Amino acid sequence: MDAAALLDAFSAAPRHQLRPAAWCRSTRFASQACRATAPFARADWQAACAILASNSTGGAGHDASSNNNAQPAPRVNGQKPPPALEATPTPDELDLVPVSNLPRPLSISDLSPAPMHGSQLRVAYQGVPGAYSEAAAAKAYPGCDAIPCDQFEVAFQAVELWIADRAVLPVENSLGGSIHRNYDLLLRHRLHIVGEVQLPVHHCLLALPGVRRELLTRVISHPQALAQCELTLNAMGLNVAREAFDDTAGAAEHIAAGGLRDTAAIASARAAELYGLQVLAAGIQDDAGNVTRFVMLAREPIIPRTDRPFKTSIVFAHDTDGTSVLFKVLSAFAFRDISLTKIESRPHRHRPIRLVDDANVGTAKHFEYMFYIDFQASMADVRAQNALAEIQEFTSFLRVLGSYPMDMTPWDAALSSRASQY
Ligand SMILES: O=C(O)C(=O)C[C@]1(C(=O)O)C=C[C@@H](O)C=C1
């Protein structure tokens, strides 16, 4: 069997389709299912892994955060750490790029398959240049060709249609919580998570040069950024209207393009540089250690390994008649000493509500969920394989979204210790 097909079966196929023999231990149900549906042996799997592992070392196609080890001194949001929080760059210090020269975000109408070109890795992200997602793409794939997209959905499709090789998308922030849209899209699309990057997010309050805080009647930004700065804005006495924008840098661009003197944006220092805005306040996130976690997506999964810390992301749903299913799933990990790093539930779009009728008291309406779990183990680890084989017994749907190296970038105390002064 072809190696790519083997991996596809491993990571993206609905349950009961082909899966490697290694998944099929420990449980009666699982081993029967494997005998019935998996026509390949462990040796095939190992051979396939070896072929793909040798293909994937180095070059543009790398997927591990191995780059992270070789990173130069840490930068925040693609920028050098600011010398002091209150320091505002003068126009002379700003290396302005004319806005008209910046790449325009892709939109749905641009999505026709593109011919292959060059060897540079093309990485789709949501937003415009200066967005945190662009910085995350650069951290994940240094030197990549970052492709702005106007929606998350477009970034997924750009990879599916070979316009981009990877997408880098935010899934959660330490203050604002989950970016639910991307959880839903992960399920709707067939891309694989091949890595993660955690980006320190240091927000700035940006306005046109010469504008003073007292003149502001509005602050605009991505809803996540507004949420991450809520307390600080209040403490600054900026109790003005707050408006949601598609992305932080887009909000900065909007102010520059419209010459809006009554409006400030929450965005990165790089967005200030790109769009010619002044930094009224820096480090305005409510927690100095504010971090957003992004996942890297590709058309093909990577080979799970055990020689470095890996995470695996799964999503599952359970039969309506199952009891204590969540408890059983969590136990499958706990009994094997596998730590969970994240659990998320989202509405089950195909079956959002279950009605339970009781003639005496009426009809109970139970909401149905898809559960997303990240756990700290590689799919090459027998413990993880056994845990999933067990979980299959009491779930009606189970998909591995990806098994990928954890971002182990050392925590930079110098950057995170800058309390949100302004
Ligand atoms: O608007 C941006 O700059 C983004 O990259 C999006 C986004 C997000 O979706 O959470 C990314 C990181 C920050 O947490 C704020 C916004």
Side-chain angles (χ1 to χ4, degrees), residues 13-371:
R15 64 176 290 201
H16 302 322
Q17 268 184 240
L18 306 180
R19 66 178 68 81
W23 268 42
C24 307
R25 300 231 187 82
S26 90
T27 63
R28 180 185 46 79
F29 172 89
S31 53
Q32 280 168 358
C34 279
R35 269 200 298 278
T37 58
F40 42 78
R42 186 174 181 80
D44 292 329
W45 163 249
Q46 285 168 334
C49 289
I51 295 164
L52 285 174
S54 62
N55 287 345
S56 68
T57 46
H62 89 103
D63 275 305
S65 41
S66 52
N67 273 321
N68 295 340
N69 296 339
Q71 296 269 315
R75 289 172 160 241
V76 176
N77 307 330
Q79 298 298 297
K80 287 192 212 96
L85 287 174
E86 62 277 10
T88 304
T90 64
D92 289 344
E93 288 167 342
L94 301 179
D95 183 16
L96 295 186
V97 178
V99 171
S100 56
N101 288 355
L102 296 173
R104 196 176 54 85
L106 281 181
S107 55
I108 289 276
S109 55
D110 298 321
L111 291 178
S112 54
M116 291 293 286
H117 59 80
S119 58
Q120 208 179 359
L121 198 75
R122 296 158 304 173
V123 181
Y125 68 95
Q126 187 267 337
V128 298
Y132 296 101
S133 299
E134 184 199 37
K139 179 177 177 188
Y141 301 107
C144 72
D145 178 11
I147 303 175
C149 300
D150 67 355
Q151 297 170 42
F152 290 135
E153 170 87 51
V154 174
F156 276 84
Q157 291 188 23
V159 178
E160 286 169 340
L161 296 172
W162 293 72
I163 294 166
D165 305 300
R166 302 283 184 279
V168 172
L169 297 168
V171 285
E172 58 177 326
N173 171 268
S174 54
L175 285 170
S178 295
I179 289 115
H180 293 132
R181 176 83 182 135
N182 281 333
Y183 280 91
D184 296 342
L185 288 171
L186 277 170
L187 193 60
R188 201 174 309 157
H189 292 266
R190 285 272 157 197
L191 297 180
H192 305 264
I193 303 178
V194 294
E196 66 168 8
V197 276
Q198 295 178 347
L199 187 81
V201 172
H202 289 218
H203 290 300
C204 301
L205 189 70
L206 311 180
L208 285 172
V211 167
R212 282 176 293 114
R213 243 188 249 171
E214 307 76 70
L215 296 176
L216 298 174
T217 61
R218 200 165 63 128
V219 176
I220 61 176
S221 196
H222 187 282
Q224 271 281 341
L226 290 169
Q228 292 162 29
C229 302
E230 190 183 344
L231 301 179
T232 313
L233 289 181
N234 290 342
M236 289 168 75
L238 263 179
N239 294 316
V240 293
R242 290 162 201 184
E243 271 176 38
F245 232 78
D246 282 350
D247 70 285
T248 56
E253 183 191 30
H254 181 67
I255 290 175
L260 308 177
R261 303 192 65 78
D262 63 345
T263 306
I266 298 174
S268 64
R270 175 168 151 79
E273 287 183 28
L274 289 177
Y275 303 109
L277 300 183
Q278 64 165 328
V279 179
L280 286 178
I284 60 165
Q285 64 282 352
D286 291 341
D287 175 48
N290 187 32
V291 172
T292 300
R293 177 174 166 249
F294 294 77
V295 288
M296 289 111 88
L297 303 177
R299 290 179 292 275
E300 300 294 333
I302 56 159
I303 303 302
R305 289 162 50 166
T306 52
D307 59 349
R308 54 178 304 169
F310 258 63
K311 238 184 221 178
T312 300
S313 299
I314 62 167
V315 53
F316 66 90
H318 62 80
D319 289 326
T320 48
D321 51 358
T323 56
S324 312
V325 172
L326 201 49
F327 174 79
K328 290 176 192 162
V329 169
L330 300 186
S331 304
F333 293 110
F335 287 136
R336 294 176 175 88
D337 270 334
I338 299 176
S339 303
L340 306 187
T341 55
K342 165 87 177 161
I343 179 160
E344 181 68 51
S345 62
R346 295 292 301 146
H348 192 315
R349 305 280 297 209
H350 296 303
R351 200 184 58 215
I353 288 186
R354 176 166 50 103
L355 302 177
V356 180
D357 286 320
D358 181 325
N360 296 325
V361 285
T363 306
K365 289 156 278 291
H366 294 289
F367 289 11
E368 294 287 333
Y369 300 101
M370 304 291 310
F371 293 99

